[in-house]
Amino acid sequence: MTESGEKERRSRGRRGAGASGEGGAPPGRPAATRTRRAFDRDQALAAALREFWTYGYESTSIASLTKAMGINPPSLYAAFGDKRQLFGEAVRLYQRTIATAPSVEGQDARSSIEAMLRHMAADYTDPRHPPGCLIISAAANCGPGSQDVKAELRGMREASKAAIAARIRQDVEAGRLPGDTDADGLAAFYAAVIQGMNQQACDGASREVLEKVAESAMRAWPMTGRG
């Protein structure tokens, strides 16, 4: 065989090995190292949630996020998009796992709201996570470029306040509260109590202190005039 023939044979061999997967990935399948994620996405998201909860959206940087999550910026962008999208996922994780009040089905509005306040007194001071409520605190100091974050969290708080008002109206209609009860005003009062409990927790107040706040707040409940 001539020298040129030998070179051609070797060239065909190398092409064949590449096509068959020997020394490379099979046809149509990317190399495993290109698709394998080198970190646990759920754990990284939980770490991001803690950062946003502790420092707020505006003050949390990509550098602090990647350090807490144990990943580099390209991995963050590839897995979560950008900081805004990552925050949205963190908020949804918070709603699924933290911001869940106990069931109060069948209770009257007063019992439901009292149970909610007591739950928050415990949750806002739970040492297993940052104090207070992410949805109340995370957008407290947003600049002009983050107004969408502020609006999103405000919408969640307004929805919670509307749910409280709706629960109060049910009791007005059922005769458990006076007919002239201002459901919206009473709901706004308890929403303000919740936001105050959040700030107290962030300032270091104990569960016992917040429970006293809840007890005092329930004294404002309208009298039914019965008995």
Side-chain angles (χ1 to χ4, degrees):
M1 180 179 294
T2 65
E3 183 178 353
S4 60
E6 177 64 19
K7 288 181 179 180
E8 177 62 23
R9 186 187 66 78
R10 290 177 180 175
S11 176
R12 286 198 303 269
R14 284 194 296 269
R15 288 197 298 268
S20 65
E22 184 179 345
R29 183 183 301 172
T33 55
R34 295 179 184 175
T35 59
R36 184 184 299 125
R37 183 173 288 135
F39 64 93
D40 186 307
R41 193 180 191 280
D42 292 339
Q43 290 182 1
L45 180 59
L49 167 58
R50 181 172 286 271
E51 285 292 296
F52 285 127
W53 194 349
T54 301
Y55 303 109
Y57 177 79
E58 192 81 3
S59 298
T60 302
S61 66
I62 291 295
S64 65
L65 283 168
T66 53
K67 181 178 179 180
M69 298 164 76
I71 61 178
N72 56 35
S75 294
L76 186 152
Y77 294 126
F80 300 100
D82 57 16
K83 175 181 168 180
R84 179 66 182 88
Q85 290 173 284
L86 174 58
F87 179 73
E89 284 204 47
V91 170
R92 290 190 289 275
L93 175 63
Y94 176 83
Q95 291 177 311
R96 291 195 307 270
T97 60
I98 305 294
T100 53
S103 174
V104 290
E105 290 296 326
Q107 297 188 33
D108 58 26
R110 189 186 193 285
S111 299
S112 299
I113 292 171
E114 183 175 9
M116 177 182 65
L117 294 180
R118 290 190 178 279
H119 170 79
M120 289 172 174
D123 180 60
Y124 288 1
T125 58
D126 190 333
R128 293 174 296 180
H129 56 62
C133 172
L134 173 79
I135 293 171
I136 296 175
S137 300
N141 297 304
C142 279
S146 304
Q147 290 304 299
D148 60 324
V149 174
K150 192 171 185 177
E152 179 182 352
L153 299 188
R154 184 192 305 119
M156 294 177 184
R157 296 192 298 272
E158 289 297 315
S160 296
K161 184 168 63 176
I164 294 172
R167 190 68 186 83
I168 292 169
R169 287 193 190 92
Q170 290 178 6
D171 275 22
V172 173
E173 294 169 0
R176 289 189 288 267
L177 283 172
D180 62 352
T181 299
D182 181 356
D184 290 330
L186 194 57
F189 169 76
Y190 284 106
V193 170
I194 291 167
Q195 291 180 352
M197 290 172 67
N198 167 80
Q199 188 59 55
Q200 286 288 304
C202 291
D203 287 345
S206 66
R207 175 177 178 175
E208 290 73 23
V209 167
L210 295 192
E211 286 178 341
K212 290 178 180 178
V213 172
E215 290 171 5
S216 297
M218 294 315 301
R219 295 192 186 105
W221 193 258
M223 300 295 290
T224 61
R226 296 178 183 177

